[in-house]
Amino acid sequence: MPPRRRRHAPHKGQAALFDSDMPLPFGILDLEDRITADAGPPVRVKCYVRGCPEMLRPPTKGFPGDPCKTHGIRCHLSSSTVTYTYAVATDNLITAPQVFRTRVRGNPHKLETHRFGYCNSEDALTWNVLRSFQDAGALHLIAEHVTGRELSEEPQLYLWGLSSFDDKFQPWPLLKEAHKRFEIGRLPITRPLSEPDAMLVVPKKLVLILEAKLLADNPVAYRSGPRKSSQSLTLEEVIDLYHDSGQQLLDYDKLRAAPHSYTQLQRYLTIADYVARIDSPKTDAYLASVVRAGHEHDATRTMRGFMRPGYGNRFVRLTWESIFTLAQLRGRQLGRLSEYMLTKAVGLSGGFAPAFCLDAW
Ligand SMILES: [Zn+2]
């Protein structure tokens, strides 16, 4: 069977007139069911796009890998995970590629922009989903779903702490205040400052941090446990560093007595609480752990157990599948996003699988 869709290298100076002119990233139906490799030498793998005969050398240390001339992907082959990367990272985006190219790639405040081209990239997924909602003026649907409040205005979207709603991708001053309060000059090791995947902000009303996971788990730390990597904090350090006497959401007595905690979620609860308080006394803080259906229930149960009475609803588990349902409320306006989520694949051990449990085929 011939490849379903041919990806064209863009001609110099030519951009798609509308985002909808861009092909969607390859979906589960476009990808081979089985991985075919030739042990070589050199090791080669058949392009992962269904029916493509190209044999490609996968990336190795010091060698970027052969991109398929037809499909523009490099096929990675490792013992743990099968995946691929787009030679042109914006081929993995479904909306606003020009904004990404000019404002995000190379932005000194955004880490790891080279990862956007990976099939399994959480950042590309976050961009595709939340920028699509922004473009449709539908971010309030997500905020209303999480908070249970009706909103008369559209929230401002920040991605990785940078302003997406105005396309400027400038750091949010209140997040910089949180960095100063909790991190700058205080961290015992060298590590990046907190960079929430996404924030929905309605000034003087609410701050909702979204921590997005695709295949990774929420990091957990155990009492008296060792540092997991040179850049990770121990549970005790997170409890000591991210503590503010005015904070409302977390019960620190329970945290100090707990055998384990999900430290990234804990940090973002404290930061959401802090930025909401410096925004205004009326601003409420929320955190949503955005995960796939069937995942991260222990993280939800554990973190819920640390919330102070009356604040339990400020932390929620939000599935990508629920966000898909919210996209359906906008019908064709978010049809491109819906098709992307329905067909989105992830590379796992041995092959590809649908990213989400959506039985709307
Ligand atoms: Zn190919």
Side-chain angles (χ1 to χ4, degrees):
M1 192 168 95
R4 196 184 80 153
R5 179 188 296 134
R6 186 182 172 88
R7 300 192 79 86
H8 299 279
H11 300 295
K12 266 208 167 89
Q14 180 191 22
L17 281 179
F18 303 103
D19 292 348
S20 57
D21 292 343
M22 298 155 55
L24 285 172
F26 296 117
I28 191 74
L29 297 178
D30 302 318
L31 299 167
E32 290 283 10
D33 298 325
R34 285 162 170 261
I35 302 307
T36 307
D38 174 350
V43 174
R44 293 185 309 158
V45 63
K46 199 163 87 64
C47 174
Y48 294 157
V49 175
R50 193 181 288 275
C52 179
E54 289 274 343
M55 294 300 290
L56 308 166
R57 289 172 298 170
T60 53
K61 219 174 184 180
F63 175 64
D66 298 322
C68 173
K69 292 186 188 74
T70 309
H71 300 108
I73 58 170
R74 294 187 170 93
C75 297
H76 299 238
L77 187 65
S78 80
S79 53
S80 55
T81 307
V82 166
T83 188
Y84 57 86
T85 47
Y86 290 91
V88 177
T90 47
D91 284 350
N92 204 20
L93 304 182
I94 67 167
T95 186
Q98 192 58 23
V99 176
F100 174 81
R101 277 189 212 105
T102 54
R103 297 290 181 179
V104 181
R105 191 163 54 199
N107 188 314
H109 303 287
K110 172 67 188 116
L111 305 170
E112 298 188 329
T113 51
H114 64 284
R115 291 190 174 274
F116 276 82
Y118 281 69
C119 162
N120 289 352
S121 165
E122 275 169 6
D123 283 348
L125 173 66
T126 301
W127 175 275
N128 287 336
V129 172
L130 292 174
R131 275 296 302 208
S132 295
F133 270 83
Q134 176 184 315
D135 297 345
L139 290 164
H140 64 280
L141 295 176
I142 297 175
E144 288 177 345
H145 178 73
V146 168
T147 64
R149 295 164 58 163
E150 261 186 49
L151 294 175
S152 51
E153 58 274 85
E154 180 70 353
Q156 299 170 345
L157 173 65
Y158 290 83
L159 291 171
W160 311 289
L162 307 173
S163 58
S164 169
F165 66 93
D166 59 4
D167 280 355
K168 290 184 176 165
F169 287 83
Q170 293 293 316
W172 189 32
L174 297 194
L175 183 65
K176 284 168 78 173
E177 289 302 313
H179 289 156
K180 283 187 216 159
R181 169 66 186 80
F182 297 109
E183 296 176 334
I184 295 172
R186 299 166 63 93
L187 294 168
I189 50 171
T190 304
R191 57 179 265 118
L193 302 177
S194 291
E195 188 186 82
D197 291 319
M199 294 185 286
L200 298 183
V201 178
V202 180
K204 302 200 173 7
K205 205 169 269 184
L206 68 88
V207 171
L208 162 60
I209 291 183
L210 302 164
E211 174 48 39
K213 293 284 183 255
L214 176 55
L215 294 180
D217 299 325
N218 281 300
V220 61
Y222 292 86
R223 179 152 308 282
S224 307
R227 205 180 288 295
K228 277 192 180 161
S229 77
S230 60
Q231 288 201 340
S232 11
L233 298 168
T234 65
L235 176 54
E236 286 75 12
E237 286 169 343
V238 175
I239 291 174
D240 287 345
L241 284 167
Y242 297 87
H243 181 223
D244 185 80
S245 55
Q247 69 86 34
Q248 300 175 318
L249 302 187
L250 285 166
D251 182 331
Y252 272 74
D253 290 336
K254 283 186 185 167
L255 267 172
R256 287 197 184 90
H260 73 288
S261 171
Y262 289 83
T263 45
Q264 190 180 33
L265 296 175
Q266 187 184 319
R267 270 193 293 124
Y268 286 139
L269 277 166
T270 305
I271 287 174
D273 185 314
Y274 184 75
V275 293
R277 275 183 292 123
I278 57 177
D279 179 57
S280 91
K282 288 184 177 169
T283 308
D284 289 334
Y286 296 85
L287 174 67
S289 168
V290 186
V291 297
R292 298 193 296 155
H295 293 262
E296 297 300 297
H297 287 292
D298 184 67
T300 310
R301 206 167 24 243
T302 302
M303 297 315 293
R304 272 282 173 94
F306 298 143
M307 304 300 287
R308 291 178 58 201
Y311 291 91
N313 64 351
R314 302 296 188 86
F315 172 69
V316 301
R317 175 176 173 278
L318 173 66
T319 61
W320 294 108
E321 286 82 352
S322 309
I323 295 176
F324 173 83
T325 305
L326 295 173
Q328 302 305 291
L329 298 176
R330 284 302 180 92
R332 287 189 61 179
Q333 197 185 11
L334 283 171
R336 186 172 161 79
L337 173 65
S338 297
E339 188 185 346
Y340 164 75
M341 293 185 81
L342 273 171
T343 58
K344 165 104 188 102
V346 283
L348 302 172
S349 172
F352 297 96
F356 307 116
C357 295
L358 296 168
D359 54 2
W361 291 93

